[in-house]
Amino acid sequence: MANDVWVYIEHKDGNASPMSFELLGIGKELADNLGSSVCAFVVGENVENIAKEAFSYGASKVYAVEDGVFKGFRAEAYAKAASFLLDKYKPEITLFRATSQGTDVSAASAASLGFGLCTDSIGIKVDGGQIKLTRAAFGGNYTVTVVNEKAKPQITTVRPKAFSMPEKDASKQGEIIKESFSIAESDLNTKVLEFIKSEVALNLVEADIIVSGGRGVGGDDGFKMMKELADVLGAAVGASRAAVDSGWISYEHQVGQTGKTVKPKIYIACGISGAIQHLAGMRTSDCIVAINKDPDAPIFKNASYGIVGDYKQVVPKIIEKFKTKLNK
Amino acid sequence: MKIVTCIKQVPDTEAEIKWDIPKGTLKRDGMDPIINPFDEFALEEALLTRENYDGDIIAISMGPEKASDVLRNALALTVNEVHRLTDEAFAGSDTYATACVLASAIKKIGDVDVVFCGKQSTDGNTGVVGAELAAILGYSQLTYVSKVRQIDAANKKIVIERAIEGGIEVIEAKLPAVVSVIKGINEPRLPNLMGIRKAAKIEIPAWNADDLGIDKAKVGYEGASTKVVEIAVPPPRGAGEILKGELEDIANIVTDKLIDLKVIK
């Protein structure tokens, strides 16, 4: 239906990225307000299992394009298939997660349909029949709410973890609508040669707990201690720009304006002063613990719990307590 | 080889931000402008590409008179040619309109092999203009690029690495391509004094909507599909608690509080 809410489902090697069902929750809420249905859509080689999983997270229908040419993810191929579906069915709004894949496909689809999109939404609501999208601007110092009057369908990417994951109910079923759409391999511009898996097991953006170090941790040894605490907690390791620029840890760990935006349940900031560029990337974390020598560090104004002290003394003590209390 | 690099002037994020509330756009005058940090990596990658494979670099920037500064900086770094894309009709453009203006300039330049741009700007922060640009031009869309392995202009091929969730993807693509780069792909150089002096004297040429053959109704504030309806300051985080006392006690309290959240497994 024309005012349905669509959610793009990401997958890799035939398995859906579990977090991409996250948006079916807010999608359902929007659809209820619009008097329509939440539908998933997926592009791939074999999407049957992914579709079934989407039903269990609340999708009432799954629109799919299935073809061998879509075996592995390629932005241009997936975007062509996505824009074909969106142009044909013109849902009211389409939600993508603001991941690399979601951003690539949504941007290219919007451009080929001939309009702009709202990126990295953190709030979505229906107000007087109109969809209002809210995003953070300028390092999270402001929020900006926009409406999209011209674009049909509207497209937005949504910040990972901005909305909670819907409950899974394996008994739920729905209808799969398969569209035949293909592209000749020779018409495609790109070919994936290989994928080199990262040594960093945990994805910073998806992590529930992050232990982050800044200039104050002083070097590689400091980050060994961050890693040790992270291992005890099953956490990912983050870093401020100062730490990355000093070469103590690689860029993929950087949190903040020129790094990643994260929203874990627990964020432990060690030796991070809390410059606005860093806060921009982590201020919406559920619980922030700050450990810093300087009692005037701005991070304390944003912390749920602050500890004024040298991390070299505080962190080992915390590690020891966690090990005892968690029987590790 | 013909290399284009797109650079944007952004307000320094340390600066106070002023909004034009009715329009929902930024008041850019009076702010301390800098080159978008990600674009410094794009410009450097263009310079490295020219060093490795020969060719010409054309830097373009969309923006008001002030944006000449970032182009002058590019000239000081020895890019071959610059163009400022400017027209009253461009003001208030959304990502798609911006990508359309950039695409028109790239078409006008003609026979381009590779376009380098930064992953995102630090003001708009959308991170989609590179992908939109590729889609509009029909060029290969290469985003989150962390390394350019090889460019073979004669055979119209490029091999790059992309840093995405979970690892590095190696892609071979046809040229022309739009390559949007991440921080850390290289170490941007600074211009030398000679370059700065030379660049200071050069007039920065400007292209307007007519020069670019752009329909004014489709760009800028009028053409934008998204309209800002509200700007708000998010509620501050509740005042936190500074834990005081002996380290032993503090460590006990904080670990108990975190364990109580039932997040740690």
Side-chain angles (χ1 to χ4, degrees), chain A residues 39-59:
Chain A
C39 310
F41 75 115
V42 51
V43 179
E45 186 190 30
N46 195 333
V47 303
E48 206 80 21
N49 286 331
I50 298 167
K52 278 187 190 137
E53 224 178 331
F55 296 137
S56 71
Y57 283 104

Side-chain angles (χ1 to χ4, degrees), chain A residues 100 104 143 145 147 150 188-189 191 193-194 196 198 245 254 257 283 285 302 304 306 317 321 325, chain B residues 13 143 162 165-166 168 170 172 174 183 222 225 227 229-230 232 237 240-241 243 248 252 255-256:
Chain A
S100 66
D104 265 355
T143 59
T145 300
V147 295
K150 295 179 188 166
L188 288 170
N189 284 331
K191 195 160 72 186
L193 300 182
E194 63 174 317
I196 306 157
S198 168
D245 287 353
Q254 188 181 321
Q257 194 179 45
R283 68 190 293 165
S285 304
N302 290 276
S304 322
K317 197 64 171 171
K321 295 286 173 198
K325 293 177 187 180
Chain B
T13 43
T143 53
R162 313 172 65 219
E165 295 86 352
I168 300 284
V170 186
E172 181 186 284
K174 292 177 194 162
K183 175 181 165 176
E222 287 308 316
S225 58
K227 293 270 184 287
V229 291
E230 192 192 332
R237 290 187 70 93
E241 183 186 342
L243 304 175
E248 186 72 24
N252 262 325
T255 49
D256 281 345

